[in-house]
PDB file of all heavy atoms in Angstrom:
ATOM      1  N   LEU U 115      37.932  37.175 -13.945  1.00  0.00           N
ATOM      2  CA  LEU U 115      36.807  37.269 -12.955  1.00  0.00           C
ATOM      3  C   LEU U 115      37.283  38.223 -11.913  1.00  0.00           C
ATOM      4  O   LEU U 115      38.397  38.352 -11.507  1.00  0.00           O
ATOM      5  CB  LEU U 115      36.482  35.962 -12.424  1.00  0.00           C
ATOM      6  CG  LEU U 115      35.744  34.887 -13.221  1.00  0.00           C
ATOM      7  CD1 LEU U 115      35.797  33.512 -12.633  1.00  0.00           C
ATOM      8  CD2 LEU U 115      34.299  35.439 -13.527  1.00  0.00           C
ATOM      9  N   ASP U 116      36.328  38.948 -11.332  1.00  0.00           N
ATOM     10  CA  ASP U 116      36.692  39.860 -10.270  1.00  0.00           C
ATOM     11  C   ASP U 116      36.747  38.937  -8.875  1.00  0.00           C
ATOM     12  O   ASP U 116      36.335  37.794  -8.876  1.00  0.00           O
ATOM     13  CB  ASP U 116      35.696  41.073 -10.078  1.00  0.00           C
ATOM     14  CG  ASP U 116      34.344  40.682  -9.705  1.00  0.00           C
ATOM     15  OD1 ASP U 116      34.008  39.565  -9.201  1.00  0.00           O
ATOM     16  OD2 ASP U 116      33.434  41.588  -9.903  1.00  0.00           O
ATOM     17  N   MET U 117      37.206  39.532  -7.844  1.00  0.00           N
ATOM     18  CA  MET U 117      37.374  38.947  -6.634  1.00  0.00           C
ATOM     19  C   MET U 117      36.096  38.129  -6.176  1.00  0.00           C
ATOM     20  O   MET U 117      36.223  37.079  -5.583  1.00  0.00           O
ATOM     21  CB  MET U 117      38.017  39.796  -5.546  1.00  0.00           C
ATOM     22  CG  MET U 117      38.535  39.115  -4.385  1.00  0.00           C
ATOM     23  SD  MET U 117      40.199  38.602  -4.397  1.00  0.00           S
ATOM     24  CE  MET U 117      41.020  40.176  -4.183  1.00  0.00           C
ATOM     25  N   ARG U 118      35.014  38.817  -6.233  1.00  0.00           N
ATOM     26  CA  ARG U 118      33.797  38.265  -5.753  1.00  0.00           C
ATOM     27  C   ARG U 118      33.560  37.052  -6.358  1.00  0.00           C
ATOM     28  O   ARG U 118      33.239  35.936  -5.721  1.00  0.00           O
ATOM     29  CB  ARG U 118      32.627  39.222  -6.089  1.00  0.00           C
ATOM     30  CG  ARG U 118      31.292  38.636  -5.840  1.00  0.00           C
ATOM     31  CD  ARG U 118      30.100  39.377  -6.595  1.00  0.00           C
ATOM     32  NE  ARG U 118      28.834  38.749  -6.372  1.00  0.00           N
ATOM     33  CZ  ARG U 118      27.790  39.087  -7.126  1.00  0.00           C
ATOM     34  NH1 ARG U 118      27.892  40.047  -7.961  1.00  0.00           N
ATOM     35  NH2 ARG U 118      26.636  38.524  -6.895  1.00  0.00           N
ATOM     36  N   TRP U 119      33.678  36.811  -7.734  1.00  0.00           N
ATOM     37  CA  TRP U 119      33.442  35.550  -8.391  1.00  0.00           C
ATOM     38  C   TRP U 119      34.471  34.583  -8.212  1.00  0.00           C
ATOM     39  O   TRP U 119      34.176  33.343  -8.359  1.00  0.00           O
ATOM     40  CB  TRP U 119      33.083  35.848  -9.899  1.00  0.00           C
ATOM     41  CG  TRP U 119      31.795  36.529 -10.083  1.00  0.00           C
ATOM     42  CD1 TRP U 119      31.530  37.920 -10.386  1.00  0.00           C
ATOM     43  CD2 TRP U 119      30.522  35.854  -9.802  1.00  0.00           C
ATOM     44  NE1 TRP U 119      30.203  38.234 -10.395  1.00  0.00           N
ATOM     45  CE2 TRP U 119      29.534  36.971 -10.095  1.00  0.00           C
ATOM     46  CE3 TRP U 119      30.004  34.665  -9.489  1.00  0.00           C
ATOM     47  CZ2 TRP U 119      28.129  36.748  -9.962  1.00  0.00           C
ATOM     48  CZ3 TRP U 119      28.658  34.408  -9.243  1.00  0.00           C
ATOM     49  CH2 TRP U 119      27.770  35.553  -9.598  1.00  0.00           C
ATOM     50  N   LEU U 120      35.744  35.012  -8.001  1.00  0.00           N
ATOM     51  CA  LEU U 120      36.750  33.954  -7.672  1.00  0.00           C
ATOM     52  C   LEU U 120      36.485  33.416  -6.331  1.00  0.00           C
ATOM     53  O   LEU U 120      36.716  32.154  -6.119  1.00  0.00           O
ATOM     54  CB  LEU U 120      38.128  34.729  -7.560  1.00  0.00           C
ATOM     55  CG  LEU U 120      38.728  35.186  -8.929  1.00  0.00           C
ATOM     56  CD1 LEU U 120      40.147  35.881  -8.626  1.00  0.00           C
ATOM     57  CD2 LEU U 120      38.927  34.002  -9.910  1.00  0.00           C
ATOM     58  N   ILE U 121      36.063  34.139  -5.355  1.00  0.00           N
ATOM     59  CA  ILE U 121      35.608  33.532  -4.111  1.00  0.00           C
ATOM     60  C   ILE U 121      34.502  32.676  -4.283  1.00  0.00           C
ATOM     61  O   ILE U 121      34.351  31.561  -3.588  1.00  0.00           O
ATOM     62  CB  ILE U 121      35.331  34.693  -2.965  1.00  0.00           C
ATOM     63  CG1 ILE U 121      36.631  35.438  -2.667  1.00  0.00           C
ATOM     64  CG2 ILE U 121      34.803  34.145  -1.765  1.00  0.00           C
ATOM     65  CD1 ILE U 121      37.813  34.611  -2.225  1.00  0.00           C
ATOM     66  N   SER U 122      33.453  33.001  -5.040  1.00  0.00           N
ATOM     67  CA  SER U 122      32.336  32.252  -5.209  1.00  0.00           C
ATOM     68  C   SER U 122      32.697  30.860  -5.930  1.00  0.00           C
ATOM     69  O   SER U 122      32.148  29.877  -5.653  1.00  0.00           O
ATOM     70  CB  SER U 122      31.325  32.903  -6.226  1.00  0.00           C
ATOM     71  OG  SER U 122      30.717  33.981  -5.536  1.00  0.00           O
ATOM     72  N   ALA U 123      33.700  30.898  -6.777  1.00  0.00           N
ATOM     73  CA  ALA U 123      34.244  29.706  -7.386  1.00  0.00           C
ATOM     74  C   ALA U 123      34.925  28.805  -6.378  1.00  0.00           C
ATOM     75  O   ALA U 123      34.622  27.535  -6.301  1.00  0.00           O
ATOM     76  CB  ALA U 123      35.260  30.051  -8.482  1.00  0.00           C
ATOM     77  N   CYS U 124      35.648  29.363  -5.381  1.00  0.00           N
ATOM     78  CA  CYS U 124      36.321  28.686  -4.367  1.00  0.00           C
ATOM     79  C   CYS U 124      35.268  27.989  -3.520  1.00  0.00           C
ATOM     80  O   CYS U 124      35.310  26.806  -3.155  1.00  0.00           O
ATOM     81  CB  CYS U 124      37.162  29.500  -3.476  1.00  0.00           C
ATOM     82  SG  CYS U 124      38.860  29.930  -4.220  1.00  0.00           S
ATOM     83  N   ASP U 125      34.170  28.772  -3.158  1.00  0.00           N
ATOM     84  CA  ASP U 125      33.046  28.282  -2.282  1.00  0.00           C
ATOM     85  C   ASP U 125      32.445  27.028  -3.109  1.00  0.00           C
ATOM     86  O   ASP U 125      32.078  25.976  -2.427  1.00  0.00           O
ATOM     87  CB  ASP U 125      32.084  29.289  -2.006  1.00  0.00           C
ATOM     88  CG  ASP U 125      32.635  30.311  -1.093  1.00  0.00           C
ATOM     89  OD1 ASP U 125      33.541  30.033  -0.410  1.00  0.00           O
ATOM     90  OD2 ASP U 125      31.954  31.334  -1.023  1.00  0.00           O
ATOM     91  N   THR U 126      32.352  27.128  -4.350  1.00  0.00           N
ATOM     92  CA  THR U 126      31.662  26.055  -5.103  1.00  0.00           C
ATOM     93  C   THR U 126      32.529  24.748  -5.120  1.00  0.00           C
ATOM     94  O   THR U 126      32.086  23.699  -4.923  1.00  0.00           O
ATOM     95  CB  THR U 126      31.386  26.543  -6.563  1.00  0.00           C
ATOM     96  OG1 THR U 126      30.636  27.734  -6.539  1.00  0.00           O
ATOM     97  CG2 THR U 126      30.566  25.441  -7.353  1.00  0.00           C
ATOM     98  N   PHE U 127      33.927  24.976  -5.253  1.00  0.00           N
ATOM     99  CA  PHE U 127      34.755  23.850  -5.167  1.00  0.00           C
ATOM    100  C   PHE U 127      34.726  23.150  -3.743  1.00  0.00           C
ATOM    101  O   PHE U 127      34.561  22.048  -3.657  1.00  0.00           O
ATOM    102  CB  PHE U 127      36.142  24.196  -5.474  1.00  0.00           C
ATOM    103  CG  PHE U 127      36.463  24.738  -6.805  1.00  0.00           C
ATOM    104  CD1 PHE U 127      37.219  25.809  -7.005  1.00  0.00           C
ATOM    105  CD2 PHE U 127      35.948  24.067  -7.939  1.00  0.00           C
ATOM    106  CE1 PHE U 127      37.590  26.253  -8.284  1.00  0.00           C
ATOM    107  CE2 PHE U 127      36.163  24.563  -9.248  1.00  0.00           C
ATOM    108  CZ  PHE U 127      37.062  25.725  -9.321  1.00  0.00           C
ATOM    109  N   ILE U 128      34.680  24.007  -2.813  1.00  0.00           N
ATOM    110  CA  ILE U 128      34.580  23.478  -1.331  1.00  0.00           C
ATOM    111  C   ILE U 128      33.302  22.706  -1.085  1.00  0.00           C
ATOM    112  O   ILE U 128      33.358  21.611  -0.481  1.00  0.00           O
ATOM    113  CB  ILE U 128      34.680  24.689  -0.437  1.00  0.00           C
ATOM    114  CG1 ILE U 128      35.998  25.333  -0.481  1.00  0.00           C
ATOM    115  CG2 ILE U 128      34.446  24.093   1.021  1.00  0.00           C
ATOM    116  CD1 ILE U 128      36.174  26.739   0.178  1.00  0.00           C
ATOM    117  N   ASP U 129      32.164  23.228  -1.546  1.00  0.00           N
ATOM    118  CA  ASP U 129      30.905  22.636  -1.387  1.00  0.00           C
ATOM    119  C   ASP U 129      30.524  21.410  -2.147  1.00  0.00           C
ATOM    120  O   ASP U 129      29.900  20.528  -1.565  1.00  0.00           O
ATOM    121  CB  ASP U 129      29.821  23.636  -1.568  1.00  0.00           C
ATOM    122  CG  ASP U 129      29.759  24.770  -0.581  1.00  0.00           C
ATOM    123  OD1 ASP U 129      30.411  24.610   0.542  1.00  0.00           O
ATOM    124  OD2 ASP U 129      29.220  25.781  -0.839  1.00  0.00           O
ATOM    125  N   HIS U 130      31.225  21.243  -3.363  1.00  0.00           N
ATOM    126  CA  HIS U 130      30.708  20.178  -4.230  1.00  0.00           C
ATOM    127  C   HIS U 130      31.761  19.270  -4.818  1.00  0.00           C
ATOM    128  O   HIS U 130      31.378  18.185  -5.430  1.00  0.00           O
ATOM    129  CB  HIS U 130      29.969  20.858  -5.406  1.00  0.00           C
ATOM    130  CG  HIS U 130      28.792  21.712  -4.916  1.00  0.00           C
ATOM    131  ND1 HIS U 130      27.593  20.979  -4.483  1.00  0.00           N
ATOM    132  CD2 HIS U 130      28.542  22.982  -4.836  1.00  0.00           C
ATOM    133  CE1 HIS U 130      26.669  21.924  -4.161  1.00  0.00           C
ATOM    134  NE2 HIS U 130      27.239  23.105  -4.253  1.00  0.00           N
ATOM    135  N   ASP U 131      33.047  19.517  -4.725  1.00  0.00           N
ATOM    136  CA  ASP U 131      34.042  18.623  -5.326  1.00  0.00           C
ATOM    137  C   ASP U 131      34.327  17.461  -4.449  1.00  0.00           C
ATOM    138  O   ASP U 131      34.233  17.446  -3.238  1.00  0.00           O
ATOM    139  CB  ASP U 131      35.340  19.388  -5.605  1.00  0.00           C
ATOM    140  CG  ASP U 131      36.077  18.712  -6.801  1.00  0.00           C
ATOM    141  OD1 ASP U 131      35.757  19.146  -7.902  1.00  0.00           O
ATOM    142  OD2 ASP U 131      36.946  17.905  -6.592  1.00  0.00           O
ATOM    143  N   ASP U 132      34.671  16.313  -5.107  1.00  0.00           N
ATOM    144  CA  ASP U 132      34.891  15.043  -4.433  1.00  0.00           C
ATOM    145  C   ASP U 132      36.380  15.014  -4.015  1.00  0.00           C
ATOM    146  O   ASP U 132      36.701  14.165  -3.123  1.00  0.00           O
ATOM    147  CB  ASP U 132      34.641  13.863  -5.397  1.00  0.00           C
ATOM    148  CG  ASP U 132      33.191  13.685  -5.633  1.00  0.00           C
ATOM    149  OD1 ASP U 132      32.357  14.148  -4.737  1.00  0.00           O
ATOM    150  OD2 ASP U 132      32.835  13.173  -6.592  1.00  0.00           O
ATOM    151  N   ASP U 133      37.189  15.887  -4.548  1.00  0.00           N
ATOM    152  CA  ASP U 133      38.700  15.791  -4.169  1.00  0.00           C
ATOM    153  C   ASP U 133      38.953  16.636  -2.944  1.00  0.00           C
ATOM    154  O   ASP U 133      38.824  17.854  -2.907  1.00  0.00           O
ATOM    155  CB  ASP U 133      39.407  16.368  -5.335  1.00  0.00           C
ATOM    156  CG  ASP U 133      40.926  16.347  -5.208  1.00  0.00           C
ATOM    157  OD1 ASP U 133      41.398  15.920  -4.144  1.00  0.00           O
ATOM    158  OD2 ASP U 133      41.651  16.547  -6.224  1.00  0.00           O
ATOM    159  N   PRO U 134      39.328  15.918  -1.904  1.00  0.00           N
ATOM    160  CA  PRO U 134      39.617  16.727  -0.638  1.00  0.00           C
ATOM    161  C   PRO U 134      40.798  17.588  -0.751  1.00  0.00           C
ATOM    162  O   PRO U 134      40.851  18.639  -0.025  1.00  0.00           O
ATOM    163  CB  PRO U 134      39.997  15.553   0.379  1.00  0.00           C
ATOM    164  CG  PRO U 134      40.343  14.378  -0.408  1.00  0.00           C
ATOM    165  CD  PRO U 134      39.544  14.469  -1.660  1.00  0.00           C
ATOM    166  N   ILE U 135      41.674  17.340  -1.694  1.00  0.00           N
ATOM    167  CA  ILE U 135      42.805  18.260  -1.888  1.00  0.00           C
ATOM    168  C   ILE U 135      42.371  19.490  -2.427  1.00  0.00           C
ATOM    169  O   ILE U 135      42.775  20.631  -2.038  1.00  0.00           O
ATOM    170  CB  ILE U 135      43.875  17.610  -2.743  1.00  0.00           C
ATOM    171  CG1 ILE U 135      44.655  16.556  -1.992  1.00  0.00           C
ATOM    172  CG2 ILE U 135      44.979  18.590  -3.202  1.00  0.00           C
ATOM    173  CD1 ILE U 135      45.668  15.752  -2.798  1.00  0.00           C
ATOM    174  N   LEU U 136      41.601  19.540  -3.595  1.00  0.00           N
ATOM    175  CA  LEU U 136      40.975  20.734  -4.115  1.00  0.00           C
ATOM    176  C   LEU U 136      40.246  21.483  -2.990  1.00  0.00           C
ATOM    177  O   LEU U 136      40.252  22.768  -2.929  1.00  0.00           O
ATOM    178  CB  LEU U 136      40.179  20.395  -5.334  1.00  0.00           C
ATOM    179  CG  LEU U 136      39.398  21.567  -6.003  1.00  0.00           C
ATOM    180  CD1 LEU U 136      40.396  22.678  -6.323  1.00  0.00           C
ATOM    181  CD2 LEU U 136      38.550  21.119  -7.207  1.00  0.00           C
TER     182      LEU U 136
END
Side-chain angles (χ1 to χ4, degrees):
L115 289 168
D116 68 17
M117 190 88 79
R118 172 199 176 191
W119 289 107
L120 290 179
I121 293 302
S122 294
C124 286
D125 289 340
T126 306
F127 295 138
I128 295 163
D129 291 343
H130 298 285
D131 206 85
D132 292 331
D133 185 350
I135 291 177
L136 176 55

